[in-house]
Amino acid sequence: MKVLIAAGGTGGHIYPGLAIAEKIKSENPGAEIIFIGSMVGMEKNIIPQFGYPIEYIRVRGFERKASLETLVAIKGIFDGLSDAKKIIKKHQPDLVIGTGGFTAGPLLLIASRRKIKTMIHEQNAYPGKTNLMLGKRVDRIAISFKEAEKYFPRERTFLAGNPVRSEYHQIDRGELRKNLNLSDSQKMILIMGGSQGAGSINQSALSLIASYIERDDRVVYHLTGKDQYESIKQEVENLGRSPSGHVFVEAYSNEVHRLLGAADLVISRSGAMSVAEIQAVGVPSILVPYPMAAGNHQEFNARVITDPGGGVLIKDRDLTGALLIQTVESLLEDDEKRQNMCRITREQSIINAGDRIYDEINKLMEN
């Protein structure tokens, strides 16, 4: 079986594609999997690290306002369709899967026209524009939240959940904390704003870090996003604590499972994949939804965890350094509450998302 997976742009699209690829390979070691991306997304750096070949098509996103960039993007549609035709002709795939990003549109559109089996995976409760368009054409639509069902043809749609890589289900907390040199008396806080970073979280985190300057019982790992890395790192250094010892500032991590598995608490945006990874590991969380997300889907994602008591929701407009410090400390000082939050968080996870998707792939291949 030869499979093309279009997964691009941000980690929220790329990592589900990798999880699906991992599941296919585990069930069918002889399957050939090729990723399709663009040169403007994170996939060009991430996919090769996992050993999969990747090819590129020319495509880019639209600006909301008409501009020269819009004209370039329109040209990119035609370039992308041309490149997609060449890739389909070259590889003659049995199946094309799209997990979001600009590359999914041209590739799955051409594949559906050529009567090649197609599937998309929608991570959020409110679908992205590309998947809304493709939902009218593809053979199967995997959704992660039941609320997304109303946007797609019901007869082709199934509830899958968000698949995460096997590492998230195989956490050895003791070993991970040992590898990070964390003692039993130390509480570790992981701060992450998604692959693009989150300005409000980064700024409030500076207040939290400042409050821990003299406290060796608090360890902070702060993933800033690449665009804000240098400025946040410099501000941390200005606080008098260089990014070492008990405060670690990094732009991004391809091994978030190691940090989540060792953490006592995570502060995060609530993108669909971040939520799925937090659920799989079962770590207590403070979730700050991105307020501009389409359909306010990040708040819905967050509430899957926070409404039953697995985490705390703080709206972006309410987030301050003082509130973050107060909330973090109240949780870190209550071990029993955090243990209960761990249990609740795990209970919200769809742990067999990969199995559900692979079962549908098998059905497709049999038809």
Side-chain angles (χ1 to χ4, degrees), residues 196-217:
Q196 303 302 306
S200 58
I201 292 178
N202 284 342
Q203 289 302 314
S204 297
L206 289 172
S207 298
L208 183 69
I209 291 169
S211 73
Y212 290 155
I213 288 296
E214 303 300 329
R215 294 191 63 171
D216 291 344
D217 62 335

Side-chain angles (χ1 to χ4, degrees), residues 38-64:
S38 77
M39 292 301 295
V40 298
M42 298 174 63
E43 60 270 27
K44 64 182 181 297
N45 298 319
I46 295 175
I47 299 298
Q49 295 182 35
F50 290 86
Y52 294 102
I54 181 169
E55 297 186 17
Y56 303 98
I57 65 176
R58 294 168 290 172
V59 69
R60 60 187 301 166
F62 281 89
E63 298 292 331
R64 291 188 178 272

Side-chain angles (χ1 to χ4, degrees), residues 253-322:
S253 173
N254 286 330
E255 296 191 320
V256 171
H257 64 282
R258 297 184 184 277
L259 299 176
L260 279 174
D264 295 279
L265 180 67
V266 59
I267 302 162
S268 177
R269 285 292 194 211
S270 48
M273 290 313 299
S274 294
V275 167
E277 290 162 0
I278 289 168
Q279 288 174 323
V281 175
V283 59
S285 58
I286 297 172
L287 299 177
V288 186
Y290 176 53
M292 304 302 291
N296 198 29
H297 68 253
Q298 282 213 7
E299 182 172 336
F300 176 84
N301 295 347
R303 288 189 179 279
V304 172
I305 289 178
T306 62
D307 281 359
V312 176
L313 188 149
I314 300 178
K315 293 189 176 182
D316 193 84
R317 65 174 180 264
D318 299 327
L319 182 65
T320 64

Side-chain angles (χ1 to χ4, degrees), residues 193-253:
S195 56
Q196 303 302 306
S200 58
I201 292 178
N202 284 342
Q203 289 302 314
S204 297
L206 289 172
S207 298
L208 183 69
I209 291 169
S211 73
Y212 290 155
I213 288 296
E214 303 300 329
R215 294 191 63 171
D216 291 344
D217 62 335
R218 301 289 187 257
V219 177
V220 178
Y221 278 81
H222 187 181
L223 306 182
T224 65
K226 64 178 182 179
D227 291 343
Q228 299 179 47
Y229 170 68
E230 293 296 340
S231 62
I232 296 298
K233 179 182 177 182
Q234 184 60 56
E235 291 196 59
V236 171
E237 291 176 348
N238 292 343
L239 292 173
R241 172 75 90 177
S242 62
S244 62
H246 299 287
V247 178
F248 301 86
V249 180
E250 300 174 10
Y252 191 72
S253 173

Side-chain angles (χ1 to χ4, degrees), residues 120-138:
I120 57 174
H121 178 265
E122 173 54 56
Q123 292 89 42
N124 293 294
Y126 184 85
K129 290 181 290 185
T130 299
N131 279 349
L132 281 172
M133 176 193 74
L134 291 172
K136 301 173 184 178
R137 292 181 169 271
V138 299

Side-chain angles (χ1 to χ4, degrees), residues 10 27 37 88 148 178 185 197 232 323 326 354 361:
T10 67
E27 298 289 343
I88 293 290
K178 180 180 177 181
S185 63
I232 296 298
L323 177 59
Q326 176 187 350
I361 289 173

